[in-house]
Structures are given as structure tokens and as C-alpha cells.
Short mmCIF file of all heavy atoms in Angstrom, two decimals:
data_model
loop_
_atom_site.label_atom_id
_atom_site.label_comp_id
_atom_site.label_asym_id
_atom_site.label_seq_id
_atom_site.Cartn_x
_atom_site.Cartn_y
_atom_site.Cartn_z
N ARG A 1 6.46 11.72 9.17
CA ARG A 1 7.63 11.48 8.32
C ARG A 1 8.87 11.81 9.15
O ARG A 1 8.97 12.89 9.72
CB ARG A 1 7.58 12.37 7.07
CG ARG A 1 6.48 12.00 6.10
CD ARG A 1 6.44 12.99 4.96
NE ARG A 1 5.39 12.66 4.02
CZ ARG A 1 5.58 11.97 2.91
NH1 ARG A 1 6.77 11.54 2.61
NH2 ARG A 1 4.58 11.71 2.10
N SER A 2 9.80 10.93 9.19
CA SER A 2 11.03 11.19 9.91
C SER A 2 12.10 11.65 8.94
O SER A 2 12.07 11.32 7.76
CB SER A 2 11.51 9.90 10.61
OG SER A 2 11.75 8.88 9.66
N ALA A 3 13.04 12.43 9.43
CA ALA A 3 14.07 12.97 8.56
C ALA A 3 15.25 12.02 8.48
O ALA A 3 15.59 11.33 9.42
CB ALA A 3 14.53 14.34 9.08
N ARG A 4 15.89 12.01 7.29
CA ARG A 4 17.13 11.27 7.13
C ARG A 4 18.01 12.09 6.20
O ARG A 4 17.56 13.08 5.62
CB ARG A 4 16.86 9.88 6.54
CG ARG A 4 16.20 9.90 5.19
CD ARG A 4 15.83 8.49 4.70
NE ARG A 4 15.14 8.51 3.44
CZ ARG A 4 15.71 8.51 2.27
NH1 ARG A 4 17.04 8.53 2.19
NH2 ARG A 4 15.00 8.53 1.15
N SER A 5 19.26 11.72 6.04
CA SER A 5 20.17 12.48 5.19
C SER A 5 20.68 11.63 4.06
O SER A 5 20.86 10.42 4.20
CB SER A 5 21.36 13.01 6.01
OG SER A 5 20.90 13.87 7.02
N ASP A 6 20.89 12.28 2.90
CA ASP A 6 21.50 11.53 1.80
C ASP A 6 23.01 11.61 1.93
O ASP A 6 23.55 12.13 2.90
CB ASP A 6 21.02 12.08 0.46
CG ASP A 6 21.47 13.51 0.21
OD1 ASP A 6 22.24 14.06 1.04
OD2 ASP A 6 21.07 14.06 -0.82
N GLU A 7 23.72 11.11 0.92
CA GLU A 7 25.18 11.03 1.02
C GLU A 7 25.82 12.41 1.07
O GLU A 7 26.93 12.57 1.56
CB GLU A 7 25.72 10.24 -0.17
CG GLU A 7 25.32 8.77 -0.13
CD GLU A 7 25.83 8.02 -1.34
OE1 GLU A 7 26.42 8.66 -2.23
OE2 GLU A 7 25.65 6.79 -1.39
N ASP A 8 25.12 13.44 0.54
CA ASP A 8 25.66 14.79 0.54
C ASP A 8 25.28 15.56 1.79
O ASP A 8 25.59 16.75 1.92
CB ASP A 8 25.18 15.56 -0.69
CG ASP A 8 25.69 14.94 -1.97
OD1 ASP A 8 26.84 14.44 -1.96
OD2 ASP A 8 24.95 14.95 -2.96
N GLY A 9 24.57 14.89 2.71
CA GLY A 9 24.22 15.54 3.96
C GLY A 9 22.93 16.32 3.92
O GLY A 9 22.54 16.93 4.92
N GLU A 10 22.23 16.36 2.73
CA GLU A 10 20.97 17.08 2.66
C GLU A 10 19.87 16.27 3.32
O GLU A 10 19.81 15.05 3.18
CB GLU A 10 20.60 17.37 1.20
CG GLU A 10 21.54 18.34 0.52
CD GLU A 10 21.02 18.72 -0.84
OE1 GLU A 10 19.85 18.40 -1.15
OE2 GLU A 10 21.79 19.31 -1.60
N GLU A 11 19.01 16.99 4.03
CA GLU A 11 17.94 16.30 4.74
C GLU A 11 16.84 15.90 3.76
O GLU A 11 16.39 16.71 2.95
CB GLU A 11 17.37 17.22 5.83
CG GLU A 11 16.38 16.52 6.74
CD GLU A 11 15.94 17.41 7.86
OE1 GLU A 11 15.07 18.26 7.64
OE2 GLU A 11 16.46 17.26 8.97
N LEU A 12 16.42 14.66 3.81
CA LEU A 12 15.36 14.14 2.96
C LEU A 12 14.21 13.66 3.83
O LEU A 12 14.42 13.25 4.97
CB LEU A 12 15.86 12.96 2.10
CG LEU A 12 17.06 13.26 1.19
CD1 LEU A 12 17.49 11.97 0.53
CD2 LEU A 12 16.67 14.29 0.15
N ALA A 13 13.02 13.69 3.30
CA ALA A 13 11.86 13.19 4.04
C ALA A 13 11.71 11.70 3.85
O ALA A 13 11.70 11.21 2.71
CB ALA A 13 10.59 13.89 3.56
N ALA A 14 11.67 10.99 4.96
CA ALA A 14 11.45 9.54 4.86
C ALA A 14 10.01 9.29 4.46
O ALA A 14 9.12 10.07 4.79
CB ALA A 14 11.72 8.89 6.22
N PRO A 15 9.74 8.24 3.68
CA PRO A 15 8.36 7.97 3.26
C PRO A 15 7.46 7.72 4.46
O PRO A 15 7.88 7.17 5.47
CB PRO A 15 8.50 6.71 2.40
CG PRO A 15 9.78 6.08 2.83
CD PRO A 15 10.68 7.21 3.21
N ALA A 16 6.21 8.17 4.34
CA ALA A 16 5.25 7.97 5.42
C ALA A 16 5.01 6.49 5.63
O ALA A 16 4.89 5.72 4.68
CB ALA A 16 3.94 8.67 5.09
N VAL A 17 4.94 6.08 6.87
CA VAL A 17 4.68 4.67 7.20
C VAL A 17 3.23 4.54 7.60
O VAL A 17 2.79 5.14 8.57
CB VAL A 17 5.59 4.21 8.36
CG1 VAL A 17 5.28 2.76 8.70
CG2 VAL A 17 7.04 4.37 7.99
N ARG A 18 2.46 3.80 6.82
CA ARG A 18 1.06 3.62 7.13
C ARG A 18 0.90 2.57 8.21
O ARG A 18 1.63 1.59 8.25
CB ARG A 18 0.27 3.19 5.88
CG ARG A 18 0.39 4.17 4.75
CD ARG A 18 -0.39 3.68 3.54
NE ARG A 18 -1.82 3.69 3.84
CZ ARG A 18 -2.67 2.80 3.35
NH1 ARG A 18 -2.23 1.80 2.63
NH2 ARG A 18 -3.95 2.87 3.64
N ARG A 19 -0.07 2.78 9.06
CA ARG A 19 -0.29 1.83 10.14
C ARG A 19 -0.79 0.51 9.59
O ARG A 19 -1.60 0.47 8.66
CB ARG A 19 -1.30 2.40 11.13
CG ARG A 19 -0.80 3.61 11.87
CD ARG A 19 -1.86 4.16 12.78
NE ARG A 19 -3.05 4.53 12.02
CZ ARG A 19 -4.22 4.77 12.60
NH1 ARG A 19 -4.35 4.64 13.90
NH2 ARG A 19 -5.26 5.11 11.86
N ALA A 20 -0.33 -0.56 10.16
CA ALA A 20 -0.71 -1.89 9.68
C ALA A 20 -2.21 -2.08 9.71
O ALA A 20 -2.80 -2.70 8.83
CB ALA A 20 0.00 -2.95 10.51
N SER A 21 -2.87 -1.51 10.73
CA SER A 21 -4.32 -1.69 10.85
C SER A 21 -5.05 -1.07 9.67
O SER A 21 -6.05 -1.60 9.20
CB SER A 21 -4.82 -1.07 12.16
OG SER A 21 -4.52 0.33 12.20
N SER A 22 -4.54 0.08 9.16
CA SER A 22 -5.15 0.73 8.01
C SER A 22 -4.99 -0.13 6.77
O SER A 22 -5.93 -0.33 6.00
CB SER A 22 -4.51 2.10 7.77
OG SER A 22 -4.67 2.93 8.89
N ASP A 23 -3.78 -0.64 6.56
CA ASP A 23 -3.54 -1.53 5.42
C ASP A 23 -4.42 -2.76 5.51
O ASP A 23 -4.99 -3.21 4.51
CB ASP A 23 -2.07 -1.96 5.39
CG ASP A 23 -1.18 -0.88 4.79
OD1 ASP A 23 -1.72 0.08 4.23
OD2 ASP A 23 0.05 -1.01 4.90
N ASP A 24 -4.54 -3.31 6.69
CA ASP A 24 -5.33 -4.53 6.87
C ASP A 24 -6.79 -4.29 6.52
O ASP A 24 -7.44 -5.12 5.88
CB ASP A 24 -5.21 -5.03 8.31
CG ASP A 24 -3.82 -5.58 8.62
OD1 ASP A 24 -3.06 -5.83 7.67
OD2 ASP A 24 -3.51 -5.74 9.81
N LYS A 25 -7.32 -3.15 6.94
CA LYS A 25 -8.72 -2.84 6.66
C LYS A 25 -8.95 -2.70 5.16
O LYS A 25 -9.93 -3.22 4.62
CB LYS A 25 -9.14 -1.55 7.38
CG LYS A 25 -9.31 -1.70 8.88
CD LYS A 25 -9.75 -0.39 9.50
CE LYS A 25 -9.91 -0.52 11.01
NZ LYS A 25 -10.32 0.78 11.63
N ASP A 26 -8.06 -1.97 4.49
CA ASP A 26 -8.21 -1.80 3.04
C ASP A 26 -8.04 -3.13 2.31
O ASP A 26 -8.77 -3.43 1.36
CB ASP A 26 -7.18 -0.79 2.53
CG ASP A 26 -7.55 0.65 2.90
OD1 ASP A 26 -8.71 0.86 3.29
OD2 ASP A 26 -6.69 1.52 2.77
N ALA A 27 -7.06 -3.93 2.75
CA ALA A 27 -6.82 -5.22 2.11
C ALA A 27 -8.03 -6.14 2.28
O ALA A 27 -8.43 -6.84 1.33
CB ALA A 27 -5.57 -5.88 2.69
N ARG A 28 -8.63 -6.13 3.46
CA ARG A 28 -9.82 -6.97 3.69
C ARG A 28 -11.00 -6.50 2.84
O ARG A 28 -11.74 -7.31 2.28
CB ARG A 28 -10.21 -6.95 5.17
CG ARG A 28 -9.29 -7.77 6.07
CD ARG A 28 -9.96 -8.04 7.41
NE ARG A 28 -10.31 -6.81 8.12
CZ ARG A 28 -9.49 -6.19 8.95
NH1 ARG A 28 -8.28 -6.67 9.19
NH2 ARG A 28 -9.89 -5.08 9.57
N ALA A 29 -11.15 -5.19 2.74
CA ALA A 29 -12.25 -4.65 1.94
C ALA A 29 -12.08 -5.03 0.47
O ALA A 29 -13.04 -5.41 -0.20
CB ALA A 29 -12.32 -3.13 2.09
N LEU A 30 -10.86 -4.93 -0.04
CA LEU A 30 -10.60 -5.30 -1.43
C LEU A 30 -10.82 -6.80 -1.66
O LEU A 30 -11.34 -7.21 -2.70
CB LEU A 30 -9.17 -4.91 -1.82
CG LEU A 30 -8.90 -3.41 -1.93
CD1 LEU A 30 -7.41 -3.14 -2.03
CD2 LEU A 30 -9.63 -2.81 -3.13
N LYS A 31 -10.44 -7.61 -0.67
CA LYS A 31 -10.65 -9.04 -0.79
C LYS A 31 -12.13 -9.36 -0.88
O LYS A 31 -12.56 -10.22 -1.65
CB LYS A 31 -10.03 -9.77 0.41
CG LYS A 31 -10.16 -11.30 0.33
CD LYS A 31 -9.47 -11.98 1.50
CE LYS A 31 -9.59 -13.50 1.39
NZ LYS A 31 -8.92 -14.18 2.53
N ASP A 32 -12.93 -8.64 -0.09
CA ASP A 32 -14.38 -8.86 -0.12
C ASP A 32 -14.98 -8.46 -1.46
O ASP A 32 -16.03 -8.98 -1.86
CB ASP A 32 -15.06 -8.07 1.00
CG ASP A 32 -14.75 -8.64 2.39
OD1 ASP A 32 -14.33 -9.81 2.47
OD2 ASP A 32 -14.93 -7.90 3.38
N MET A 33 -14.34 -7.53 -2.16
CA MET A 33 -14.85 -7.07 -3.46
C MET A 33 -14.39 -7.97 -4.62
O MET A 33 -14.92 -7.86 -5.73
CB MET A 33 -14.34 -5.66 -3.76
CG MET A 33 -14.79 -4.57 -2.85
SD MET A 33 -14.05 -3.00 -3.42
CE MET A 33 -13.97 -2.10 -1.88
N THR A 34 -13.41 -8.84 -4.38
CA THR A 34 -12.77 -9.56 -5.47
C THR A 34 -13.67 -10.63 -6.09
O THR A 34 -14.22 -11.49 -5.42
CB THR A 34 -11.47 -10.23 -4.97
OG1 THR A 34 -10.58 -9.21 -4.48
CG2 THR A 34 -10.78 -10.99 -6.09
N LEU A 35 -13.80 -10.53 -7.43
CA LEU A 35 -14.55 -11.51 -8.20
C LEU A 35 -13.62 -12.51 -8.89
O LEU A 35 -13.99 -13.65 -9.13
CB LEU A 35 -15.40 -10.81 -9.27
CG LEU A 35 -16.50 -9.87 -8.77
CD1 LEU A 35 -17.08 -9.09 -9.95
CD2 LEU A 35 -17.59 -10.66 -8.06
N TYR A 36 -12.42 -12.04 -9.24
CA TYR A 36 -11.45 -12.89 -9.94
C TYR A 36 -10.05 -12.37 -9.65
O TYR A 36 -9.84 -11.15 -9.55
CB TYR A 36 -11.70 -12.87 -11.45
CG TYR A 36 -10.62 -13.55 -12.27
CD1 TYR A 36 -10.66 -14.94 -12.49
CD2 TYR A 36 -9.56 -12.82 -12.79
CE1 TYR A 36 -9.66 -15.56 -13.22
CE2 TYR A 36 -8.55 -13.44 -13.52
CZ TYR A 36 -8.61 -14.81 -13.73
OH TYR A 36 -7.61 -15.44 -14.44
N GLU A 37 -9.10 -13.28 -9.51
CA GLU A 37 -7.72 -12.87 -9.27
C GLU A 37 -6.76 -13.92 -9.77
O GLU A 37 -6.99 -15.12 -9.63
CB GLU A 37 -7.50 -12.64 -7.77
CG GLU A 37 -6.09 -12.15 -7.42
CD GLU A 37 -5.91 -11.85 -5.94
OE1 GLU A 37 -6.81 -12.22 -5.15
OE2 GLU A 37 -4.89 -11.25 -5.57
N ASP A 38 -5.66 -13.47 -10.39
CA ASP A 38 -4.53 -14.33 -10.69
C ASP A 38 -3.27 -13.49 -10.50
O ASP A 38 -3.34 -12.39 -9.94
CB ASP A 38 -4.63 -14.97 -12.09
CG ASP A 38 -4.66 -13.95 -13.22
OD1 ASP A 38 -4.08 -12.86 -13.06
OD2 ASP A 38 -5.26 -14.24 -14.28
N ARG A 39 -2.14 -13.95 -10.95
CA ARG A 39 -0.89 -13.23 -10.66
C ARG A 39 -0.76 -11.91 -11.43
O ARG A 39 0.10 -11.09 -11.12
CB ARG A 39 0.31 -14.12 -10.98
CG ARG A 39 0.39 -14.57 -12.44
CD ARG A 39 1.63 -15.40 -12.65
NE ARG A 39 1.68 -15.97 -13.99
CZ ARG A 39 2.75 -16.58 -14.51
NH1 ARG A 39 3.86 -16.66 -13.78
NH2 ARG A 39 2.73 -17.08 -15.72
N ASP A 40 -1.61 -11.71 -12.45
CA ASP A 40 -1.51 -10.50 -13.27
C ASP A 40 -2.68 -9.55 -13.11
O ASP A 40 -2.54 -8.35 -13.34
CB ASP A 40 -1.43 -10.89 -14.76
CG ASP A 40 -0.26 -11.80 -15.05
OD1 ASP A 40 0.88 -11.36 -14.87
OD2 ASP A 40 -0.51 -12.96 -15.45
N VAL A 41 -3.83 -10.08 -12.73
CA VAL A 41 -5.07 -9.32 -12.82
C VAL A 41 -5.92 -9.48 -11.55
O VAL A 41 -5.91 -10.53 -10.92
CB VAL A 41 -5.89 -9.77 -14.04
CG1 VAL A 41 -7.26 -9.13 -14.07
CG2 VAL A 41 -5.14 -9.46 -15.33
N LEU A 42 -6.63 -8.40 -11.23
CA LEU A 42 -7.60 -8.41 -10.14
C LEU A 42 -8.88 -7.79 -10.69
O LEU A 42 -8.85 -6.72 -11.28
CB LEU A 42 -7.06 -7.58 -8.97
CG LEU A 42 -7.85 -7.53 -7.67
CD1 LEU A 42 -7.89 -8.90 -7.00
CD2 LEU A 42 -7.23 -6.50 -6.72
N VAL A 43 -10.01 -8.49 -10.53
CA VAL A 43 -11.30 -7.95 -10.96
C VAL A 43 -12.14 -7.72 -9.71
O VAL A 43 -12.41 -8.66 -8.96
CB VAL A 43 -12.03 -8.89 -11.94
CG1 VAL A 43 -13.35 -8.25 -12.38
CG2 VAL A 43 -11.16 -9.20 -13.15
N LEU A 44 -12.53 -6.46 -9.49
CA LEU A 44 -13.28 -6.09 -8.30
C LEU A 44 -14.75 -5.85 -8.61
O LEU A 44 -15.10 -5.45 -9.73
CB LEU A 44 -12.69 -4.82 -7.68
CG LEU A 44 -11.22 -4.85 -7.28
CD1 LEU A 44 -10.79 -3.47 -6.78
CD2 LEU A 44 -10.96 -5.91 -6.23
N ASN A 45 -15.59 -6.05 -7.62
CA ASN A 45 -17.00 -5.68 -7.69
C ASN A 45 -17.16 -4.41 -6.86
O ASN A 45 -17.38 -4.47 -5.65
CB ASN A 45 -17.88 -6.81 -7.13
CG ASN A 45 -19.35 -6.45 -7.15
OD1 ASN A 45 -19.79 -5.62 -7.91
ND2 ASN A 45 -20.11 -7.12 -6.29
N LYS A 46 -17.01 -3.25 -7.51
CA LYS A 46 -17.04 -1.98 -6.79
C LYS A 46 -18.46 -1.67 -6.31
O LYS A 46 -19.39 -1.69 -7.09
CB LYS A 46 -16.54 -0.84 -7.67
CG LYS A 46 -16.35 0.48 -6.92
CD LYS A 46 -16.20 1.64 -7.84
CE LYS A 46 -17.50 2.09 -8.43
NZ LYS A 46 -18.47 2.64 -7.43
#
């Protein structure tokens, strides 16, 4: 987490940045589990 400052000068923690490779692995795994999907709903085969 990198530090940044707000308008009052207080140090805030920047949100953690997840590595793209981690996101890709999880996204692929979820895609492999998917039985049904539309713009509102995702049905997984856990």
C-alpha cells in the first residue's frame, strides 16, 4: 500500500493493488465454474 495525502494533509493508505496475474487466475477459475450468466446474475458450479 502506498501512502497519499488528503486535502487536509493527513496521510491515507492507498488501496492495495492486486497483481493482474492473480485476478486473471481467479477470473478464469470462475469462468470455468459458470453454468449461467447474464448482465444481472451469475450461477456457479462450486
Side-chain angles (χ1 to χ4, degrees):
R1 291 175 180 263
S2 60
R4 60 186 177 88
S5 298
D6 65 4
E7 293 178 355
D8 295 325
E10 293 187 12
E11 188 175 80
L12 302 175
V17 179
R18 302 179 67 214
R19 294 177 301 165
S21 60
S22 300
D23 280 349
D24 290 345
K25 287 181 180 179
D26 286 346
R28 285 197 301 270
L30 290 168
K31 183 177 181 180
D32 290 341
M33 296 180 208
T34 300
L35 296 171
Y36 171 85
E37 182 177 11
D38 61 29
R39 60 178 174 169
D40 302 296
V41 173
L42 185 65
V43 182
L44 302 176
N45 178 24
K46 188 194 77 65

